[in-house]
Amino acid sequence: MDSQMLVALGLSLVGGLSTSLGALFVVLSETPNMKMLGLLQGFAAGLMLSISFLDLAHNAINSIGFLKGNLWFFGGVIFFACIAKFIPEPTLGPSTDVKRRKKNGDEGGKDMAKKHRRQVNKLAQFSRGMAVFLGSIKGMRVGVNLALAIALHNIPEGVAVALPIYFATESKWQAFKLATLSGLAEPLGVIIVAYLFPSSLSPEILEGLLGAVGGIMAFLTLHEMLPLAFDYAGQKQAVKAVFVGMACMSASLYFLELSLPESMG
């Protein structure tokens, strides 16, 4: 295991364990609710959309050209769309069902998110681990930048994973444990990708793969996270949360770019 992989693994562990930090909010909160889940899903979706479009896809287009950058990005979208067909989807009911669920103490949300959320989150964490590893190959500065940005995203994501598990099991410990385990899929992604891709990738292929990861993240966000945010927080509130998340991530990326030393390039 070379030093580059060890660094990427360490960075991905920071990001993955940030999920545990988010899950702690569920453990410490006395009255978690599904509206909180919706708002946090919207906020986390905004964070991820910002990374996908304004960082990964943007850099790919600037580095390898508009056509190639878009081909890689949408290649990632199509690839994961095919994988998503094998993941059982929850049934999102209309707004009347949402009101009925609220009256019944959010009973309708218990089963919907339990198994599905864990499956989707493992895949999402895997793609983030891939992004951290490929970013570390491109340069330590890029890897650290991506790892810290993803760690910021994983905090509200940890809440979003743990909360439905808590409603389903009524066990805060179970919610914390499963949310933590889901975060460990990120360093697992680093290990698998490290053996699939050599560290001597050409700059064009490397930028293309990062663009493809951006496409995967964007698909996961729009296909999985936003529908749940709309369902539990309402469309208007969820959209506001998305843009707040995008603004926070854009600001974070900007300040990370300023604060990290050039020698880490």
Side-chain angles (χ1 to χ4, degrees):
M1 192 178 289
D2 59 25
S3 58
Q4 193 173 53
M5 181 177 173
L6 286 173
V7 170
L9 191 61
L11 291 174
S12 65
L13 275 171
V14 172
L17 291 177
S18 297
T19 310
S20 303
L21 186 59
L24 272 178
F25 287 110
V26 176
V27 174
L28 299 176
S29 176
E30 293 183 4
T31 56
N33 58 76
M34 297 305 283
K35 184 174 182 180
M36 177 195 296
L37 171 62
L39 291 173
L40 286 170
Q41 283 282 74
F43 182 76
L47 295 174
M48 194 50 60
L49 286 174
S50 185
I51 293 177
S52 301
F53 288 110
L54 304 181
D55 188 40
L56 297 176
H58 173 76
N59 289 338
I61 290 171
N62 283 344
S63 299
I64 61 178
F66 182 84
L67 178 60
K68 289 182 179 179
N70 274 281
L71 286 175
W72 277 100
F73 178 84
F74 287 106
V77 171
I78 294 170
F79 170 75
F80 206 83
C82 295
I83 292 178
K85 289 184 177 180
F86 299 99
I87 305 174
E89 293 191 30
T91 301
L92 297 179
S95 57
T96 54
D97 291 336
V98 175
K99 293 177 181 177
R100 177 173 54 80
R101 284 202 299 268
K102 290 179 179 178
K103 288 182 180 180
N104 294 333
D106 293 323
E107 290 292 328
K110 292 182 179 180
D111 295 328
M112 186 195 78
K114 184 182 177 183
K115 184 177 179 180
H116 178 78
R117 273 301 300 164
R118 290 205 300 271
Q119 289 174 327
V120 171
N121 191 67
K122 286 175 184 176
L123 292 171
Q125 294 286 11
F126 181 88
S127 67
R128 291 164 201 157
M130 183 177 179
V132 170
F133 176 73
L134 294 173
S136 298
I137 293 179
K138 183 179 177 181
M140 185 61 62
R141 203 164 188 265
V142 178
V144 171
N145 197 329
L146 273 174
L148 293 178
I150 289 171
L152 177 62
H153 164 273
N154 282 352
I155 296 174
E157 179 73 359
V159 180
V161 173
L163 194 54
I165 295 173
Y166 167 69
F167 283 128
T169 63
E170 297 184 353
S171 168
K172 290 187 175 181
W173 163 244
Q174 189 78 352
F176 178 80
K177 180 178 71 173
L178 292 176
T180 300
L181 287 174
S182 73
L184 295 179
E186 188 170 323
L188 178 63
V190 168
I191 294 171
I192 293 174
V193 173
Y195 286 103
L196 289 176
F197 299 103
S199 57
S200 57
L201 285 170
S202 70
E204 182 173 329
I205 296 295
L206 182 59
E207 288 292 353
L209 285 170
L210 283 168
V213 171
I216 291 173
M217 290 181 177
F219 179 87
L220 274 166
T221 302
L222 297 174
H223 187 262
E224 303 293 342
M225 299 173 72
L226 277 185
L228 289 179
F230 288 166
D231 193 47
Y232 289 119
Q235 185 173 345
K236 290 183 179 180
Q237 295 300 317
V239 168
K240 291 176 184 177
V242 167
F243 280 106
V244 170
M246 290 186 74
C248 288
M249 181 55 73
S250 295
S252 299
L253 290 171
Y254 174 73
F255 287 115
L256 282 171
E257 186 72 19
L258 290 180
S259 61
L260 293 176
E262 292 292 340
S263 59
M264 296 180 68

